Amino acid sequence: MTRQPAPLARLAMLLTLTLAPGCTHEADQQPVAREAAPEHQGIYSFPNACVTLDAAAAGTGRASFLRVSDEGEGFAFGATADAAAPLTMRATDLGTYLFYDSHEHYLVVEERALRRRDTINSDAFTLDDTTLPGVQWALEVSDEDPTRFQLRHLKTGAYLTPTGLSDEAAGAAVITLYPAQGCAPYPELTLDAEGELPPTRFDDGSVYGFVDTHSHLFSNRGFGGAGIFHGAPFHPFGVPHALPSCEMFHGEEGRKDLFGYGFDKSDTVSELDMITAFVNGRVPEFYHHTQGWPSFTDWPSAHFLSTHQTQYYLWLKRAYYAGLRLVVNHATSNQIICELVAGSGAQPVRYSCNDMVAVDRTLEDTRALERYIDAQSGGPGTGWFRIVESPQEARAVIEEGKLAVVLGIEVSNLFDCFLVPPGGGERCTEAQVLANLERYRALGVRAIFPVHKFDNAFSAGDGHREIIELANFAMTGHYSNFTDDCPDIPSAFDKGDVAFAELNQPREDYLAEPPVDMSGFADDPIDVLLGQARYLMGGSLHGDYCQNAGLTELGEFLLIELMKEGFILEIDHLPRRSYQRAFELLVEHDYPAAGTHGNNMRGELYGLGGISKMNLGRCSNPQSPGTLADGLQERVALIESHGGYPAEGFGFDLNGFAGAPGPRFGEHSVCDTPQENPITYPFTSYDGHVTFTRPRLGEREVDFNTEGMVHLGLVAELIEDVRNDGVSDAQLEPLFRSAEAYLRFWERSEARGAALRGE
């Protein structure tokens, strides 16, 4: 359909637009007539494009090019292309861009003027979600010319014109984008991998690739969403905003990174030392350098520094290039850690410490990351990162050669079902549980832990010792509830000594009223804890202790409903008594489960069709090459002996305070014996399609041999290290079949759910 010229009245309206300061139409140069617009693929087709742009007032067909203003403080429209500013278009979301000039300045609207700034602010620094620095533009098809565009400013909603901004769409300039040269590359990390990733299957039709069964991409959205955990897997404005210095949160020399210090140095720092640090608001010694982009002096370092991002989206992409094809992204947080750090004034928070607030934010941001990667890739659905909601969808995504992402939840107070509801409220009911299951299923969640660290309305907490004992007391007002009368059940957490002997006072009724009022903890955690200091002075209990309580009636109801709905049921944070009863329910309902912290119930989990996770060996034996894969081979044999699919993947738990494989060489080597065959570059991926080069972090060169797996992207090196040890590709094949193993487990979960529903 041919579009008609705009009416004269519209043109008259345009002539009355107020000239915006800082954005001028140069009076001594007359607009020139336009030629046909360059060919393009639409509004999504300009990620990282180098362009010049011109703007024609609606209805005129005569354009002026955007250039740097004479004083250099802003941008102006001139008549010819010769002086046009080359601009990098950086996609910030689907169909939205910022413009970055050849001298590394941003095009920013301030007070309705087109300004030129070398830096921009964002929510990463203000901790305010509403922060918009005026740098983003929505690229839209022009209402007047379908071969050209119009630009709508996101912050103001106004449209770009040759003389400033118009609040009305009718006033929008008709924009042409021309391919250009001389642009500055937008700040970004390098991938350090090259190659094509064609769709790949095994000969029997199984999908190709390994799984990371347990991941936390968005721990930065937990813990109140500020800097307790620092760094994001992406930011609309790129790596300078996703991975900046942590000093504003962790303080000079990292001395305000209290939780990280206590966690990473738990072998040498006592609980009493940590209480002193919280009272003082800083740790007593240098902890870590704080620089992020572009120097990254100390972090990321998954093996040594747990409170910093290790899964930036390009590091995830590098793992994808190494063969990662399925990842389970669990939303996580810890309300007590958040309240302890924020309530003591050590670090700020952005929003509530509540676990489910963190869950909702993580789910939103995971969707935003999918859009962001799509935006960098050319439009909706084009990216390599695909959120999936069924095993069938996951299988299709992997068969396309992309990464399938499953959404999960791992928090202590699932659905706000507290053991002791805040403010004396009522405990959760079955109706509330069902409503939450329906809500979060609609949001795409498919994997759920019924319990995490602390006691809740479903079960006693996982039984983790030391600081968790004290934190559970703060959470519930109940004394520790450990006994040495324990079932013979393997456990990832509920085992061993009790750190605080005086705090342990087992109770018969798990649901009894709490003996201690800890309701003031969030506002004044230090004074509340000091008021209970007598419980910290009584030494430890030595032996094999476990939680004295198991699943509640509501907990059993939750598990059965999770089965009926075909959820991926995560059971490794159940304490021994809860695990024992849960396994009875699994057997009764012939339902599989996931043990993504490594518990496979001595192989019985595989007999139900479930999955667990394994780790590759870390220290080689030069006298016996190939031993780094012994654990994988033993696990596959165990799976086969129980009739399972012979494959097992990783469960790194990165960003979950779980560490990562450390270095084999250098002063920080995790090995007791001399090691051989360090990583050398370049090397090729397991499937031979990708070449990996030495990884970089901005200005920092990473040495896997002496630093270990500092972030997820170095899983490529981890696998190559094992191959260097003499492990054959045939021996590693079960790892690269682990995505298939997970899909079969998930398919069985859904099939059993349908059967339990009578379908």
Side-chain angles (χ1 to χ4, degrees), residues 605-688:
L605 192 67
Y606 303 121
L608 289 171
I611 59 97
S612 185
K613 67 98 178 184
M614 64 86 204
N615 294 313
L616 295 169
R618 195 66 204 104
C619 298
S620 67
N621 180 353
Q623 282 70 50
S624 182
T627 56
L628 292 182
D630 284 356
L632 174 60
Q633 307 308 313
E634 292 168 2
R635 182 60 58 83
V636 168
L638 179 65
I639 295 170
E640 287 186 307
S641 71
H642 285 82
Y645 183 79
E648 189 94 297
F650 296 118
F652 288 121
D653 202 1
L654 288 179
N655 295 347
F657 312 118
R664 290 200 295 124
F665 300 89
E667 61 177 314
H668 300 297
S669 172
V670 297
C671 304
D672 296 328
T673 58
Q675 298 291 292
E676 298 179 359
N677 301 319
I679 291 288
T680 59
Y681 297 91
F683 64 86
T684 56
S685 59
Y686 177 85
D687 62 6

Side-chain angles (χ1 to χ4, degrees), residues 331-337 339 353-359 409-422 428 436 440 448-459 461 471-472 474-476 510 558:
T332 194
S333 189
N334 187 301
Q335 180 171 326
I336 290 298
I337 292 173
E339 291 177 346
C353 289
N354 178 277
D355 285 350
M356 296 309 294
V357 169
V359 168
I409 300 176
E410 183 189 32
V411 293
S412 287
N413 297 306
L414 178 68
F415 304 154
D416 286 331
C417 289
F418 299 88
L419 174 62
V420 181
C428 283
N436 276 288
Y440 283 97
I448 289 182
F449 280 87
V451 71
H452 192 210
K453 291 299 173 188
F454 306 141
D455 299 348
N456 66 20
F458 305 121
S459 167
N472 192 66
M475 180 89 248
T476 67
Y510 173 72
L558 171 65

Side-chain angles (χ1 to χ4, degrees), residues 25-33 62-64 78-80:
H25 186 287
E26 311 236 343
D28 60 335
Q29 301 183 54
Q30 296 300 314
V32 297
R62 302 181 69 82
S64 303
T80 66

Side-chain angles (χ1 to χ4, degrees), residues 705-718:
N705 296 311
T706 60
E707 297 181 66
M709 199 173 103
V710 302
H711 60 64
L712 180 63
L714 271 68
V715 69
E717 276 77 0
L718 181 69

Side-chain angles (χ1 to χ4, degrees), residues 379-445:
T382 60
W384 49 270
F385 180 101
R386 312 306 316 155
I387 296 171
V388 296
E389 297 182 3
S390 72
Q392 295 77 25
E393 187 180 359
R395 187 174 292 278
V397 163
I398 296 171
E399 287 177 346
E400 291 177 16
K402 297 185 177 183
L403 176 66
V405 182
V406 182
L407 301 179
I409 300 176
E410 183 189 32
V411 293
S412 287
N413 297 306
L414 178 68
F415 304 154
D416 286 331
C417 289
F418 299 88
L419 174 62
V420 181
E426 298 294 324
R427 286 199 182 98
C428 283
T429 64
E430 292 181 356
Q432 288 173 290
V433 170
L434 292 175
N436 276 288
L437 286 175
E438 181 179 1
R439 175 174 185 261
Y440 283 97
R441 184 170 186 83
L443 290 173
V445 172

Side-chain angles (χ1 to χ4, degrees), residues 226-306:
I228 294 173
F229 182 93
H230 180 71
F234 88 105
H235 190 280
F237 303 156
V239 66
H241 296 256
L243 303 173
S245 167
C246 64
E247 184 170 347
M248 69 177 289
F249 306 111
H250 291 170
E252 187 178 354
E253 298 185 338
R255 292 196 183 200
K256 296 181 73 174
D257 185 6
L258 300 177
F259 180 74
Y261 181 83
F263 184 87
D264 291 323
K265 295 181 175 291
S266 60
D267 291 341
T268 58
V269 176
S270 72
E271 287 78 9
L272 290 177
D273 290 336
M274 284 310 303
I275 290 176
T276 301
F278 274 100
V279 169
N280 294 331
R282 65 200 305 264
V283 302
E285 60 183 340
F286 171 88
Y287 179 25
H288 61 74
H289 292 105
T290 57
Q291 296 94 329
W293 167 266
S295 54
F296 295 105
T297 306
D298 281 354
W299 65 271
S301 181
H303 183 69
F304 298 105
L305 294 172
S306 298

Side-chain angles (χ1 to χ4, degrees), residues 534-556:
R534 62 189 181 278
Y535 297 115
L536 310 181
M537 308 300 182
S540 303
L541 298 174
H542 299 285
D544 185 22
Y545 284 82
C546 66
Q547 289 277 31
N548 192 40
L551 289 175
T552 64
E553 289 185 10
L554 190 65
E556 292 198 16

